[in-house]
Amino acid sequence: MAALRRMLHLPSLMMGMCHPFPDSLAGSCLADRCLWDRLHAQPRLGTVPTFDWFFGYEEVQGLLLPLLQEARAASPLRVLDVGCGTSSLCTGLYTKSPHPVDVLGVDFSPVAVAYMNSLLEGGQGQTPLCPGHPASSLHFMHADAQNLGSVASSGSFQLLLDKGTWDAVARGGLPRAYQLLSECLRVLNPQGTLIQFSDEDPDVRLPCLEQGSCGWAVTVQELGPFKGITYFAYLIQGCH
């Protein structure tokens, strides 16, 4: 049922793009970089410069800000968004967090990374982004989330965000999704938190995460519904 629901929901991802996507997104392999390059190259309608799969920063700030508050011993808190695309998660944290954050968004689509770097600097007809805290910073890098060796050393981030990236990678095979999870946990501080945002049912996702996160605590929180769809935040945490 979860897989069917995701496929039915995929066309709504394209709302806000100027032209319909040339291929059937629901029938495509979401682990294909070329598909995402073409998606992120599409012009946007209206004044919203970002494109969010599932939902944006505003819907989850109530979950994220308390985590930042709890982890204030690390200042600024290092945050990594894997498979950031052109989402508002990174920009929202940077511009609206009252706590100092050092945010890095990585994506395997160079088109997405170039777009977000342009947006950060005031391109795309927007004003340059201003931090919510004077000590905050925001960067975007082209990198494969399944191999973060060029991005970060082990245990270097206090908070990792994955909004739909597991879902997309798993369409290319579950072993790839486990590799993604392994890399995320490698660069996550032992006392940090990894959050996977998804609409996949807990009875499907939790066994996978528990199998791939030995030694970490795995919990789930229900989110929404947003636009009639219930989502879940899967939290993988070390010992606090």
Side-chain angles (χ1 to χ4, degrees):
M1 290 297 295
L4 176 60
R5 186 172 70 247
R6 284 198 305 279
M7 291 187 70
L8 292 174
H9 179 46
L10 283 171
S12 69
L13 302 179
M14 305 316 301
M15 295 178 65
M17 311 305 278
C18 189
H19 305 290
F21 196 63
D23 301 320
S24 170
L25 186 60
S28 301
C29 178
L30 298 182
D32 180 7
R33 192 197 74 190
C34 293
L35 180 143
W36 293 105
D37 283 345
R38 284 179 286 160
L39 169 64
H40 294 306
Q42 291 291 310
R44 284 147 177 80
L45 288 174
T47 59
V48 179
T50 53
F51 166 68
D52 281 293
W53 187 352
F54 298 158
F55 47 78
Y57 170 77
E58 298 289 343
E59 287 79 7
V60 293
Q61 63 178 339
L63 172 63
L64 297 179
L65 291 182
L67 289 173
L68 300 180
Q69 172 72 23
E70 292 173 8
R72 283 198 306 171
S75 185
L77 184 92
R78 298 200 69 200
V79 181
L80 176 64
D81 183 2
V82 293
C84 64
T86 56
S87 163
S88 64
L89 269 189
C90 287
T91 56
L93 275 173
Y94 173 64
T95 60
K96 298 180 180 178
S97 170
H99 313 296
V101 288
D102 178 8
V103 183
L104 174 62
V106 300
D107 201 278
F108 73 166
S109 167
V111 177
V113 171
Y115 179 90
M116 294 307 287
N117 277 322
S118 174
L119 183 64
L120 175 61
E121 297 167 3
Q124 313 302 327
Q126 305 292 315
T127 57
L129 300 180
C130 296
H133 189 284
S136 290
S137 60
L138 174 60
H139 308 277
F140 295 96
M141 288 183 60
H142 177 218
D144 187 344
Q146 297 176 66
N147 182 7
L148 296 169
S150 63
V151 172
S153 58
S154 298
S156 55
F157 289 92
Q158 286 78 37
L159 178 62
L160 261 77
L161 305 175
D162 169 342
K163 183 160 70 78
T165 302
W166 167 289
D167 302 73
V169 171
R171 292 286 287 270
L174 200 55
R176 293 185 180 183
Y178 279 120
Q179 175 61 27
L180 166 69
L181 177 60
S182 176
E183 271 295 89
C184 287
L185 294 178
R186 182 185 66 80
V187 301
L188 182 64
N189 185 281
Q191 295 182 323
T193 300
L194 163 63
I195 307 177
Q196 288 188 353
F197 296 108
S198 178
D199 65 346
E200 186 167 58
D201 293 336
D203 59 349
V204 176
R205 179 66 61 90
L206 280 176
C208 293
L209 296 182
E210 289 168 350
Q211 178 179 333
S213 307
C214 184
W216 298 79
V218 182
T219 58
V220 60
Q221 295 185 30
E222 186 172 305
L223 302 174
F226 305 131
K227 297 181 180 178
I229 297 177
T230 297
Y231 297 92
F232 302 94
Y234 295 95
L235 284 77
I236 304 173
Q237 296 174 298
C239 299
H240 292 276

